[in-house]
Amino acid sequence: MPKYNLLDKKFKKQLLSINNSLENSFNKIKVLKSNIKRLSLSKDNKVFLGIGIFIILSLSYFLIPSIYNKELIKDEIKNHLVSKYKINLNFSDKINYSFLPKPHYIIKDLSILNKENEIGKVGNLKIFISINNFFSSKNLEIKDIVLDKTEFNISKDDLIFFQNLLNTKPSKNKISIKNSIIFYKNDNDEVLFINKIFNSKFYYDSNYLENILISKNEIFNVPYTLEIKKNEFDKIIFSNFKSRKLRVNIENAINYEYANKTGTLDILLLNKDTSLKYELQKDLIKFKSDGIKNNY
């Protein structure tokens, strides 16, 4: 009987040991499952971490132009404006950078010069730049240009500023003038009229090989639009003046290939259409009327 009890105790001990081993094994399996779940969560974290790193690197890239040497950038901008648009600017000391909505430099309170005369004061000049390569300031590529809040004081000799914008070489870029005003003066420095510019764009149309100006303006409290197209291939300048308030539409096409320039002028005023052909000689304009047509 005592031997039987002893065997029974040994059997119970072995059974308890096996039970503990099984329990430890199940616990390890639970820990393994928990680790697998944590691993799956860490993959999601890696995705968010990757997105965060991408955003930081992108912001860092777009902020690189902010650390460029500002004096070198001003020289680059000034040389570009002179060589491409023949715009001579007197720069202020401050130049700021912003990458929204597109990377660009902002220069405030600068002057436009015609030779040595100041013909305009620019409130804000925005120089948009290409995002292709920001790792070197030497690779800076200037794109669109915006003259905002500009006050022009010009006479007939200063109109060359706008003529130069229509004579620029073919380019994908454009120059805009916004929220500006023109004080046009005579030889005695008296203001003849004031022209408000809401939005003007100078650009090149590669489809028709034309330099184009499209402008929304106001003069004597009369809003109007002006469109000018210069075709170097056909040697023709087309212009269109339109005012709904005055109910007038004036179209002009002039061929400037020869010394004596010829053109056609179509005037639509109060539903009356007048067409004139003319020839510009040295000190003379010859007109020839094709008659008056009534539109109903």
Side-chain angles (χ1 to χ4, degrees):
M1 189 71 180
K3 288 184 179 180
Y4 176 79
N5 291 335
L6 182 62
L7 291 172
D8 185 55
K9 288 181 180 180
K10 287 183 178 181
F11 177 75
K12 288 182 178 180
K13 285 183 179 180
Q14 289 180 353
L15 185 62
L16 182 61
S17 177
I18 293 171
N19 185 53
N20 290 335
S21 298
L22 290 173
E23 187 176 354
N24 290 334
S25 298
F26 282 117
N27 288 333
K28 289 181 180 180
I29 292 173
K30 289 181 180 179
V31 172
L32 180 61
K33 288 183 177 180
S34 177
N35 289 335
I36 292 174
K37 290 182 179 179
R38 290 179 182 177
L39 181 62
S40 62
L41 290 175
S42 66
K43 287 182 179 179
D44 293 336
N45 291 336
K46 286 181 180 179
V47 172
F48 287 111
L49 180 62
I51 294 174
I53 292 174
F54 175 78
I55 293 174
I56 292 173
L57 290 177
S58 299
L59 289 175
S60 299
Y61 177 77
F62 283 107
L63 288 173
I64 288 176
S66 65
I67 63 175
Y68 288 163
N69 186 303
K70 296 300 188 295
E71 293 302 321
L72 294 179
I73 295 301
K74 285 196 292 185
D75 290 340
E76 184 72 20
I77 293 173
K78 188 172 183 178
N79 293 335
H80 176 83
L81 292 176
V82 170
S83 61
K84 186 170 184 178
Y85 300 105
K86 296 182 180 179
I87 299 177
N88 188 12
L89 295 177
N90 184 16
F91 278 75
S92 60
D93 294 332
K94 293 184 179 180
I95 177 171
N96 299 311
Y97 172 76
S98 174
F99 64 91
L100 294 175
K102 296 186 293 184
H104 65 282
Y105 287 102
I106 304 173
I107 307 173
K108 296 181 177 291
D109 302 325
L110 60 158
S111 301
I112 302 174
L113 305 177
N114 180 21
K115 297 179 180 178
E116 299 298 327
N117 298 324
E118 182 182 270
I119 63 172
K121 293 182 178 179
V122 185
N124 294 303
L125 174 66
K126 297 181 180 179
I127 308 292
F128 291 88
I129 58 178
S130 172
I131 64 173
N132 290 336
N133 191 347
F134 281 170
F135 294 108
S136 175
S137 60
K138 295 181 181 179
N139 296 320
L140 182 68
E141 180 184 349
I142 295 175
K143 297 178 69 66
D144 298 338
I145 298 170
V146 177
L147 299 170
D148 186 34
K149 298 179 181 178
T150 304
E151 182 180 300
F152 293 96
N153 287 276
I154 62 175
S155 61
K156 63 180 181 180
D157 294 332
D158 302 317
L159 291 175
I160 189 67
F161 171 82
F162 299 98
Q163 294 174 10
N164 289 334
L165 297 180
L166 279 171
N167 292 327
T168 56
K169 296 179 180 179
S171 172
K172 295 181 181 180
N173 306 326
K174 65 178 180 291
I175 182 168
S176 303
I177 302 175
K178 298 181 178 182
N179 307 313
S180 300
I181 191 168
I182 296 176
F183 295 93
Y184 188 80
K185 301 179 179 181
N186 59 17
D187 295 336
N188 296 322
D189 203 35
E190 298 172 336
V191 177
L192 297 180
F193 62 84
I194 299 173
N195 184 87
K196 294 180 181 179
I197 302 176
F198 299 116
N199 190 4
S200 293
K201 293 182 180 180
F202 295 83
Y203 65 95
Y204 181 78
D205 188 336
S206 58
N207 294 323
Y208 296 96
L209 307 178
E210 295 175 333
N211 283 319
I212 297 177
L213 160 66
I214 297 179
S215 184
K216 295 182 179 180
N217 311 269
E218 182 181 279
I219 186 170
F220 302 121
N221 294 322
V222 176
Y224 71 93
T225 59
L226 178 65
E227 182 179 12
I228 301 176
K229 300 179 180 179
K230 184 178 181 182
N231 190 305
E232 286 286 350
F233 183 79
D234 294 329
K235 305 298 181 184
I236 292 177
I237 298 177
F238 171 84
S239 62
N240 177 260
F241 174 94
K242 183 185 295 184
S243 175
R244 290 184 178 181
K245 188 173 183 178
L246 296 179
R247 298 175 63 188
V248 61
N249 185 29
I250 303 173
E251 293 185 355
N252 180 59
I254 181 170
N255 188 311
Y256 62 92
E257 183 175 5
Y258 304 104
N260 290 345
K261 302 174 179 61
T262 58
T264 302
L265 187 65
D266 292 316
I267 303 173
L268 178 62
L269 177 61
L270 301 177
N271 294 328
K272 291 184 178 181
D273 187 6
T274 303
S275 181
L276 300 171
K277 292 184 178 180
Y278 62 90
E279 180 179 348
L280 295 178
Q281 298 180 359
K282 186 176 181 180
D283 299 314
L284 182 65
I285 302 177
K286 292 183 177 180
F287 284 99
K288 181 180 179 182
S289 175
D290 289 339
I292 300 177
K293 299 179 181 179
N294 294 326
N295 296 329
Y296 299 97

